[in-house]
Amino acid sequence: MTIINKIIDGKMYAQKLLGEIHPLSKGFLHNFNRKPCLTVILVGDNPASKIYVKNKILVAKKIDIESKEILLSSDITEDELIDHISILNKDQNVDGILVQLPLPKHISEKKIINIISPSKDVDGFHPKNFGKLFMGDPKFIPCTPLGCLYMLKHEIEDIKGKNAVIIGRSNIVGKPMASLLLSSDCSVTITHSKSTNIEEHTKKADILIVAVGIPEMIDEKFIKQGAIVIDVGINRLESKNNDNFSNKGVLVGDVKFEKVLKIAKKITPVPGGVGPMTIACLMHNTVKAAYINKKNDFINVLEGIL
Ligand code: GUN
């Protein structure tokens, strides 16, 4: 297999999914005289969060989803943020609400996630949606793990019975990813920062999902020959010289790409792997929320995935 065939093209899969969603957002506009609407709240000026939010808004525009951005100062109080969300919860013209994480330390993320109406929770982080996912009856599924599953289901002919190992136990990626893979009949292991000998587990992984947030932590020693590796990490390294990347730094994942590429059967790159799929899944969840909130059926474009 050539190297190029080993690289899982997240941009291509995102275009495919967006291409399936776009007719549905256009259909929504035709039927209800407005576009599906996503409102994104960004608190403070975390540079990475600003880029993520900008990209979400850009993609929404391309596929006829209206997007609104609410920018709030980092010293906003928890109660003030809750007031903003309560207004959006009641607004019939807002279908999806996303509060970009992380939030400043003085605001409880748990409290904020609990306030968002479960029917507008396009992140799938509300306990009601989280619970439904784990009960095998998902409504809104967190976007990053959903995007990973989408790529895996397209890349692997029969996922049943595979050994899947996840590094990272966050509510955003690790835990929901485990639930999705369990529902896909994988044998699932979750490892994390306190696990002893992570390598022992990852060496047995047919599917390895890496979401640790440590730049290039996973090298070829962790990988079973022929594994499928999904790198969720997005880390910006300061560049020492100014040539290719100016002084903005270079993006790397949690996986040492060039080394692991030699051992793995398939691997997602950073950038161009999981990132575009996360955004595409957010658009999917937003259009789904729009239809459901209008008490209309939503055509399941994820048939065969879930
Ligand atoms: N921060 C990093 N990933 C995410 C995500 O998927 N949703 C939100 N709301 N914040 C994030």
Side-chain angles (χ1 to χ4, degrees):
M1 188 184 270
T2 62
I3 281 178
I4 197 87
N5 289 338
K6 284 188 167 195
I7 300 174
I8 301 174
D9 187 348
K11 277 194 210 161
M12 179 273 290
Y13 281 124
Q15 285 310 317
K16 176 176 154 57
L17 181 56
L18 291 171
E20 284 164 350
I21 299 163
H22 198 175
L24 303 181
S25 61
K26 282 198 275 200
F28 188 89
L29 172 62
H30 183 258
N31 286 328
F32 302 107
N33 222 16
R34 70 165 178 83
K35 294 177 181 177
C37 173
L38 169 69
T39 299
V40 180
I41 299 180
L42 176 61
V43 183
D45 47 16
N46 178 319
S49 292
K50 276 176 153 172
I51 295 172
Y52 297 149
V53 168
K54 192 181 102 199
N55 288 338
K56 287 168 185 174
I57 304 272
L58 278 175
V59 173
K61 199 171 259 167
K62 282 188 192 155
I63 61 157
D64 287 298
I65 292 176
E66 189 187 348
S67 54
K68 292 185 180 151
E69 210 177 344
I70 299 180
L71 303 175
L72 301 170
S73 154
S74 58
D75 60 5
I76 190 172
T77 66
E78 194 173 82
D79 284 344
E80 283 168 328
L81 179 55
I82 288 172
D83 287 345
H84 277 281
I85 296 168
S86 303
I87 291 167
L88 297 172
N89 280 341
K90 288 187 210 114
D91 187 338
Q92 301 251 348
N93 291 322
V94 171
D95 301 300
I97 303 168
L98 181 145
V99 179
Q100 187 66 30
L101 304 177
L103 289 169
K105 293 268 176 296
H106 66 281
I107 299 176
S108 157
E109 289 187 355
K110 194 165 140 190
K111 208 165 171 183
I112 295 304
I113 287 166
N114 269 282
I115 291 292
I116 297 171
S117 163
S119 66
K120 300 189 179 192
D121 170 35
V122 286
D123 258 329
F125 294 164
H126 189 282
K128 186 172 170 189
N129 286 317
F130 220 69
K132 282 178 80 64
L133 172 65
F134 276 77
M135 298 288 283
D137 177 27
K139 188 172 174 194
F140 294 114
I141 298 173
C143 304
T144 299
L146 179 57
C148 295
L149 186 75
Y150 187 91
M151 292 190 285
L152 286 171
K153 286 277 175 90
H154 282 88
E155 292 286 339
I156 302 173
E157 208 168 300
D158 190 5
I159 201 169
K160 270 194 216 91
K162 297 268 188 269
N163 278 338
V165 176
I166 300 162
I167 316 181
R169 56 177 157 178
S170 71
N171 289 338
I172 297 182
V173 184
K175 286 183 208 157
M177 190 76 246
S179 175
L180 288 172
L181 290 167
L182 265 182
S183 295
S184 303
D185 298 323
C186 290
S187 304
V188 180
T189 304
I190 308 182
T191 66
H192 48 79
S193 56
K194 303 290 185 296
S195 298
T196 52
N197 209 351
I198 290 179
E199 211 177 303
E200 212 169 82
H201 297 286
T202 60
K203 272 289 205 187
K204 295 183 191 142
D206 304 310
I207 298 167
L208 179 62
I209 312 282
V210 189
V212 269
I214 301 174
E216 300 183 315
M217 174 186 147
I218 300 304
D219 63 18
E220 70 276 23
K221 292 196 295 295
F222 289 80
I223 310 295
K224 176 181 164 182
Q225 186 86 39
I228 312 273
V229 180
I230 306 287
D231 186 355
V232 179
I234 304 178
N235 311 286
R236 196 172 286 277
L237 299 182
E238 292 305 315
S239 67
K240 291 184 189 74
N241 46 23
N242 239 2
D243 46 11
N244 280 345
F245 304 101
S246 71
N247 52 9
K248 283 187 178 155
V250 53
L251 280 187
V252 297
D254 294 347
V255 176
K256 259 202 173 95
F257 183 79
E258 300 295 340
K259 298 274 186 199
V260 171
L261 186 64
K262 294 191 181 125
I263 312 280
K265 185 173 179 199
K266 297 267 172 111
I267 179 170
T268 57
V270 177
V274 173
M277 274 312 298
T278 295
I279 298 181
C281 289
L282 175 64
M283 300 305 135
H284 165 271
N285 286 354
T286 300
V287 178
K288 180 171 176 172
Y291 275 94
I292 292 178
N293 289 335
K294 288 284 186 192
K295 312 267 179 292
N296 265 250
D297 285 340
F298 174 71
I299 297 163
N300 183 11
V301 292
L302 294 179
E303 211 163 318
I305 305 297
L306 296 170

